[in-house]
Amino acid sequence: AVARNPGEPLVIEEVMVAAPKAREVRIRIICTSLCPVDVTFWKSKDPPAIFPRILGHEAMGVVESVGEGVHELVEGDTVIPIFLPDCGECTDCLSAKSNLCSKLSFSISPWIDREETSRFTDINGETLYHFLFISSFSEYTVVDIAHVTKIDPQTPPSKACLFTCGVAAGVGAAWKRANVDSGTSVAIFGLGAIGLAVAEGARLCGAKRIIGVDMNPDKFEIGKKFGVTDFVNSRSCGDKTVSQVIIEMTDGGADYCFECVGSSSLVHEAYASCRKAWGKTVVMGVDQPGATLTFNSHEVLDKGKTLIGALFGGLKPKSDIPILIKRYMDKELQLDEFMTHEVDFEEINKAFDLLLEGKSIRCVIWMNK
């Protein structure tokens, strides 16, 4: 399914998918799902957006063939591709303190990792660009081994997709990055898929109070399924700010605050909402390029709060994702409610419509159901 021009329906067409080179595998995609990040770059006209491109990055598949030097996987292995690299060799990947590979840096590249080339061409020989090193809107795709995680083949394919981006990131942000303590309070700014996943992660960690903040009051009922206990409608706070409301609700501020929208103003509000001394604010939303944050230096010193970012929730793809999958298979982690719709691959544009209309959290797209 090729994105030929920004904002135009994807075009189903035959493409050539080259054999994997060294440290690469070719994957037969079983199913994929649509993430708002795909929609953002599908609509965008400015770099790093580029066309024609094969989008998609949340998927589950089976290894079809392996390139030279690949020993971790064999043909037939069940895998999920993940946009964040985990080379397993550099200082960061070998450390429990980081999930940011220093050998293969994350970027919105139009190429495959390790070399600036594509494995896709159309029937006229024109280059088709990659997306987030995955490009799962294709029956076959080639991915660097650093972006591939082997999983339990018993994992339901449609649920496996959820462990590759936003949902896993939300759970991971509460579990790994914030390390939410049992019995604490959590405030989540934005109850989209990531915010709801943060709530699920906080619930799993034993948070006593989970406060959802959103402009849509209907999100409270949805949030309750994932552990949200309280709700603040940011449009109905009267003459008070959201942070003032949360400080009053929690008698001093939430222990953990998560910004899941992508707004610098909300980051400031989340920071203001967390408790002094030990309060921790985690930034997960992606703001516009060049957006800045400005804090009063005396407040930073005097209040002693922590502000951190959480790319992919702080999760290390090859070691942490299998743990989350096991917790799902053991029925500790609730994920089924995230998958709200299913379509056949030929109906992929319907998945875009459902997301744009606000009707779906995640829509699974089946290659050959």
Side-chain angles (χ1 to χ4, degrees), residues 29-34 58 136-137 161 339 341-349 351-352 363-368:
I29 300 295
I30 303 299
C31 63
T32 182
S33 55
L34 180 63
E58 297 185 345
S136 59
F137 293 168
C161 297
M339 280 298 182
H341 295 79
E342 298 183 25
V343 300
D344 293 333
F345 186 58
E346 290 74 16
E347 301 177 300
I348 191 169
N349 289 301
F352 277 73
C363 179
V364 62
I365 302 159
W366 293 94
M367 284 294 170
N368 295 292

Side-chain angles (χ1 to χ4, degrees), residues 2 112 118 125 198 207 224 262-263 298 324 352:
V2 182
I112 202 161
S118 172
V198 170
K224 287 178 181 178
S263 164
H298 288 289
L324 286 182
F352 277 73

Side-chain angles (χ1 to χ4, degrees), residues 271-300:
Y271 186 78
S273 300
C274 72
R275 186 175 295 275
K276 65 181 181 181
W278 66 74
K280 187 178 291 185
T281 298
V282 182
V283 179
M284 301 194 67
V286 180
D287 207 336
Q288 297 297 315
T292 59
L293 300 172
T294 305
F295 293 94
N296 182 295
S297 61
H298 288 289
E299 181 185 12
V300 172

Side-chain angles (χ1 to χ4, degrees), residues 33-55:
S33 55
L34 180 63
C35 171
V37 175
D38 296 304
V39 176
T40 297
F41 284 91
W42 165 69
K43 292 164 59 176
S44 180
K45 298 178 181 179
D46 302 315
I50 191 171
F51 298 90
R53 191 174 218 169
I54 298 179
L55 297 167

Side-chain angles (χ1 to χ4, degrees), residues 86 93 149 175-176 315-324:
D86 186 351
C93 289
T149 296
W175 169 44
K176 294 286 289 190
L315 294 170
K316 297 177 79 68
K318 297 192 178 184
S319 54
D320 291 332
I321 294 304
I323 293 172
L324 286 182

Side-chain angles (χ1 to χ4, degrees), residues 92 95-99 177 316:
D92 287 276
S95 170
K97 298 179 180 180
S98 172
N99 72 333
R177 198 71 175 110
K316 297 177 79 68

